[in-house]
Amino acid sequence: MKQALVTQSFGEDWQKIIDLTRPRMEAYCKRHSCDFILIDKPLTHPAQYSKSAIGNIMATKGYSQVTFVDADVLIAADCPNLADDAGVFCAFDEGAYLDRKPEMVKLAGAFGGMIEPKFYVNTGVFVVHSKAVGILSMPPIGLHPNHFAEQTWLNVMAHLWNIPLTELDPSFNCMTSVESHFGLDRYKDAMIIHYAGQSNDLVKLANQIEADDAKLVELGR
């Protein structure tokens, strides 16, 4: 099965971040025999909706499965292949402790849809199979909801398309909130450290990533 890891990073402000995180992404790809693809030009606004291009990438490049990670993640050297046993759609259900389901219902209703939310996933790390490409459907032109960027919209699409979720272990999307809620140690437990919500100060973020990367190296990870 042909696989790829896709990330996206736009503009000079994010160049330092992707320069720090890309080597670990490429090392992951080498370990697990998948291609590395960087989307570096925004295709719409909010720019995060550009990840919907994954559908076109799969169709034109012949990938059966794509793993997506945000630019602001560090992948540990011992991280296994997320695509193994991922089903058609695999992501971390942050709705288990952050209830954003009412917003999903409201957003779906605004576009004429009716859903009964079963989950609310974080879209900073996910695996999608070509059989579930409908999850990447875009809103009408010019009507792109900006509720956690594209995240709530993608969750709505998952429900409207009735895409089954394979839950991703929180260690594969170890955000600060996840680390504290589940009692994880990012250096010892996290397979993927995700710096969600920390992009307001990219210099500070770069310094944190450098420090965490050095700590992982120290631990042989």
Side-chain angles (χ1 to χ4, degrees):
M1 183 163 56
K2 190 176 180 182
Q3 301 177 359
L5 182 140
V6 175
T7 190
Q8 57 186 21
S9 176
F10 310 118
E12 294 181 4
D13 290 345
W14 277 88
Q15 191 61 50
K16 174 67 172 178
I17 305 301
I18 194 64
D19 285 348
L20 290 169
T21 59
R22 179 172 180 165
R24 284 182 173 272
M25 295 179 190
E26 293 182 327
Y28 172 92
C29 290
K30 185 176 181 179
R31 289 195 307 273
H32 300 301
S33 301
C34 59
D35 296 335
F36 174 79
I37 298 174
L38 170 63
I39 301 173
D40 58 5
K41 293 181 176 59
L43 304 175
T44 187
H45 180 78
Q48 290 88 341
Y49 275 89
S50 300
K51 66 184 65 170
S52 288
I54 290 171
N56 180 269
I57 290 170
M58 286 195 285
T60 58
K61 303 293 185 181
Y63 293 110
S64 298
Q65 205 167 35
V66 162
T67 297
F68 176 86
V69 296
D70 276 343
D72 58 343
V73 306
L74 279 180
I75 303 179
D78 54 343
C79 181
N81 190 352
L82 274 69
D84 291 345
D85 303 316
V88 296
F89 178 56
C90 181
F92 169 63
D93 182 11
E94 70 175 33
Y97 69 101
L98 293 172
D99 187 12
R100 297 200 172 108
K101 294 174 183 176
E103 286 87 352
M104 289 174 59
V105 173
K106 183 178 179 181
L107 181 57
F111 285 80
M114 296 179 62
I115 61 173
E116 295 183 8
K118 301 181 181 72
F119 55 79
Y120 184 96
V121 302
N122 181 276
T123 58
V125 179
F126 65 84
V127 182
V128 62
H129 193 279
S130 58
K131 293 178 180 178
V133 71
I135 203 171
L136 300 166
S137 298
M138 295 283 280
I141 294 174
L143 295 177
H144 291 61
N146 188 1
H147 190 264
F148 296 100
E150 91 305 332
Q151 184 167 276
T152 302
W153 179 262
L154 191 147
N155 275 277
V156 170
M157 290 299 100
H159 286 81
L160 288 177
W161 284 91
N162 198 28
I163 304 296
L165 174 69
T166 299
E167 290 195 29
L168 186 67
D169 187 89
S171 64
F172 291 94
N173 192 344
C174 189
M175 298 170 280
T176 301
S177 58
V178 170
E179 189 175 15
S180 59
H181 181 82
F182 291 94
L184 300 177
D185 181 323
R186 71 175 63 186
Y187 305 120
K188 297 178 180 178
D189 302 322
M191 291 297 173
I192 298 179
I193 303 173
H194 180 197
Y195 301 89
Q198 300 181 49
S199 60
N200 290 334
D201 187 337
L202 290 177
V203 173
K204 181 179 178 181
L205 175 57
N207 291 336
Q208 182 65 61
I209 291 173
E210 284 185 304
D212 287 354
D213 182 70
K215 184 65 175 179
L216 289 176
V217 171
E218 179 185 326
L219 294 172
R221 305 189 69 218

